[in-house]
Amino acid sequence: MAQQIPYKIYLSEDEMPKAWYNVRADMKNKPAPLLNPGTLEPMQFDDLRPVFCDELIRQELDNDTAYFEIPEEIRAFYRMYRPSPLVRAYCLEEKLQTPAKIYYKFEGNNTSGSHKLNSAIAQAYYAKQQGLKGLTTETGAGQWGTALSMACAYLGLDLKVFMVKVSYEQKPFRREVMRTYGANVTPSPSNTTNVGRKILEEFPGTTGSLGCAISEAVETAVSTPGYRYVLGSVLNQVLLHQSVIGLEAKAALDKYGIKPDVIIGCAGGGSNLGGLIAPFMGEKLRGEADYEIIAVEPASCPSFTRGRYAYDFCDTGMVCPLAKMYTLGSSFIPSANHAGGLRYHGMSSILSQLYHDGYMTARAVEQTSVFEAAELFARTEGTLPAPESSHAIRAAIDEALKCKQTGEEKTILFGLTGTGYFDLKAYEQYNDGTMTDVIPTDEDLEKGFAGLPKVDK
Ligand SMILES: *Cc1c(COP(=O)(O)O)cnc(C)c1O
């Protein structure tokens, strides 16, 4: 008789991964390199040193080393909230009356409420190792800023967070969590940087954007001795650290001999998805196994499904290197009524290359249907999901309903990246019936594409 699969498959602390997996090592077509925006030449180690910590640059540029050992100090921090559970969604399956088997990897079980802590502690650790005094970063709604605040507090590093002004004003709770952990939080754009002052002059009254906050954080890092800049998604190093999600998920599934057919994750900058799929994608790239991999993004910020694969600016102030990615253009800002997160204009270069080469697919979903899925999930599985995560829930439910039609008993794995306690304004809109779906027109998107740099690579 088949072994009964428990509701939660836990790994022991000893079974936690001892190394991160770098999927680039198994990619035939490597992700395109970052380019210097002035010379359009690939960024080298020395070019990146004023901005990033040395060890993180090594990780960023290394397309060949398959495994990076996780330092013991980082493993010690991970042990406070990892291994994270892999949950069999029996209750959701029952509710849907589907023959599909649904599993989710839950990353919301820490104060920051999301997977972002996995990379925050790694990045802060290497900064500390290098003897730096502090870090700068940007944050939108505050998940990344919160995670990094926790990591910096733990290691005794200073932290300056540039928080998108509209969030700073309208979402005070995460701001206060960050301050509780000792971070200095500035609404962006601010008059503390040249780029902030310039943007304020050009667009008085602007409520800010992620791209603008990135520019301010980078400028502050390069102009403050002993500081470096860190980013919570998109970069190769972040996907590397997030591979801990997929490695744990795979180890848990392997214990019971389970092989997923479909793997689903939400995609903002691509870090949780890149991390969840990493070891599975490795097998796929090496021809050892096949999986259907689906990225889910908001229809109001559709980088994969409607974006261009091109070199683009990572920020609004154009101070960062250029990255080749599926992008909507660095000036693209999703409609103000978009409540579901995942609002970055571009996508990880690694995932962009894998998508371009046909190793994964993508779909865009509308936010009201995302919140419907969130509500169903909360009521059946108990956990109040983050709106971002609920994009993956939407697609997982859709796949499970397809199985109901066809009778296929597919095994579905998705990433539940976080909890939604700080997103209750969005839930309020949904519950009040005032949430709408605004999808950019082709003309809207053309405006963003028009700002793409002319790079022939
Ligand atoms: C930041 C965030 C995301 C999206 O970021 P990725 O880099 O695409 O993973 C998804 N879910 C939650 C809960 C987040 O906080």
Side-chain angles (χ1 to χ4, degrees):
M1 209 182 88
Q3 198 176 0
Q4 172 72 26
I5 310 294
Y7 271 73
K8 286 186 181 154
I9 307 178
Y10 281 107
L11 298 175
S12 70
E13 286 179 13
D14 289 343
E15 291 169 309
M16 221 168 54
K18 297 190 171 56
W20 294 298
Y21 166 64
N22 179 12
V23 72
R24 285 168 284 166
D26 285 306
M27 291 171 68
K28 251 192 250 106
N29 296 331
K30 305 294 183 190
L34 295 171
L35 298 186
N36 179 313
T39 63
L40 300 184
E41 290 302 316
M43 297 291 278
Q44 307 291 339
F45 182 76
D46 285 333
D47 304 320
L48 291 164
R49 287 195 75 197
V51 182
F52 296 120
C53 309
D54 292 354
E55 184 54 32
L56 292 170
I57 301 173
R58 282 185 203 105
Q59 295 180 356
E60 189 65 28
L61 298 178
D62 192 330
N63 287 337
D64 304 308
T65 305
Y67 288 93
F68 285 81
E69 193 187 322
I70 306 175
E72 181 46 39
E73 291 88 332
I74 297 177
R75 281 170 50 81
F77 187 87
Y78 277 172
R79 277 188 209 104
M80 289 196 282
Y81 68 100
R82 310 200 68 84
S84 72
L86 181 78
V87 186
R88 172 78 182 266
Y90 280 118
C91 301
L92 181 62
E93 290 171 19
E94 173 71 26
K95 178 78 183 174
L96 298 174
Q97 290 289 302
T98 173
K101 300 174 182 67
I102 308 174
Y103 293 86
Y104 59 90
K105 180 73 168 160
F106 180 48
E107 291 291 319
N109 204 5
N110 66 76
T111 295
S112 80
S114 81
H115 65 286
K116 292 199 172 70
L117 197 53
N118 300 332
S119 185
I121 186 61
Q123 297 196 47
Y125 169 80
Y126 292 114
K128 182 80 183 174
Q129 283 295 102
Q130 200 177 317
L132 296 173
K133 182 169 185 306
L135 294 171
T136 73
T137 198
E138 76 295 327
T139 198
Q143 290 101 317
W144 167 244
T146 306
L148 193 63
S149 303
M150 292 172 68
C152 285
Y154 181 74
L155 294 169
L157 285 167
D158 290 344
L159 174 62
K160 295 179 197 290
V161 180
F162 288 88
M163 184 170 189
V164 176
K165 190 182 276 169
V166 63
S167 300
Y168 182 94
E169 286 166 356
Q170 293 177 7
K171 299 186 178 169
F173 299 121
R174 277 219 180 80
R175 181 186 81 203
E176 292 314 313
V177 180
M178 288 185 261
R179 293 178 60 207
T180 302
Y181 282 92
N184 174 298
V185 188
T186 305
S188 165
S190 76
N191 56 18
T192 69
T193 63
N194 291 328
V195 59
R197 284 187 290 271
K198 195 170 146 229
I199 289 169
L200 282 173
E201 218 167 86
E202 246 176 89
F203 308 98
T206 175
T207 54
S209 69
L210 262 185
C212 166
I214 294 175
S215 304
E216 289 208 281
V218 171
E219 182 185 319
T220 303
V222 299
S223 58
T224 314
Y227 274 72
R228 292 293 186 281
Y229 165 73
V230 293
L231 180 65
S233 183
V234 184
L235 295 175
N236 298 339
Q237 56 187 275
V238 183
L239 269 73
L240 174 70
H241 306 146
Q242 294 297 357
S243 70
V244 70
I245 304 172
L247 292 164
E248 280 185 11
K250 187 155 190 313
L253 291 171
D254 284 348
K255 273 193 168 186
Y256 290 88
I258 304 160
K259 193 181 152 300
D261 300 295
V262 187
I263 306 171
I264 299 169
C266 64
S271 73
N272 87 81
L273 176 64
L276 175 69
I277 68 175
F280 302 99
M281 183 60 87
E283 290 188 340
K284 187 162 171 160
L285 289 164
R286 296 189 301 269
E288 297 165 8
D290 198 14
Y291 303 97
E292 185 184 355
I293 295 172
I294 306 172
V296 192
E297 61 186 12
S300 48
C301 190
S303 324
F304 267 137
T305 51
R306 294 174 70 197
R308 296 262 167 88
Y309 189 37
Y311 268 104
D312 193 11
F313 302 101
C314 295
D315 61 327
T316 315
M318 305 174 187
V319 299
C320 292
L322 303 178
K324 187 167 181 185
M325 53 190 177
Y326 277 85
T327 179
L328 299 168
S330 62
S331 64
F332 179 84
I333 295 179
S335 154
N337 87 341
H338 170 64
L342 309 174
R343 44 177 55 246
Y344 188 62
H345 65 274
M347 187 57 64
S348 137
S349 290
I350 294 176
L351 294 189
S352 293
Q353 186 67 50
L354 290 168
Y355 177 69
H356 196 68
D357 291 341
Y359 287 103
M360 52 187 278
T361 60
R363 67 178 67 159
V365 291
E366 296 174 18
Q367 66 176 354
T368 49
S369 78
V370 167
F371 278 81
E372 266 166 35
E375 181 190 86
L376 178 66
F377 185 83
R379 291 183 187 182
T380 50
E381 287 292 317
T383 300
L384 181 76
E388 292 89 343
S389 324
S390 304
H391 289 72
I393 299 174
R394 173 75 268 166
I397 290 176
D398 290 344
E399 289 302 301
L401 290 175
K402 260 189 235 164
C403 289
K404 188 173 171 177
Q405 298 268 315
T406 62
E408 281 176 292
E409 296 183 20
K410 283 190 184 173
T411 297
I412 299 167
L413 167 65
F414 75 89
L416 185 68
T417 50
T419 48
Y421 302 116
F422 286 108
D423 302 286
L424 295 171
K425 272 281 166 204
Y427 275 98
E428 182 181 50
Q429 279 177 28
Y430 175 72
N431 292 330
D432 285 348
T434 55
M435 178 172 278
T436 54
D437 295 310
V438 174
I439 300 172
T441 63
D442 288 343
E443 291 84 69
D444 293 335
L445 295 186
E446 281 305 325
K447 283 182 214 146
F449 297 144
L452 287 173
K454 306 277 172 285
V455 180
D456 212 10
K457 292 189 182 188

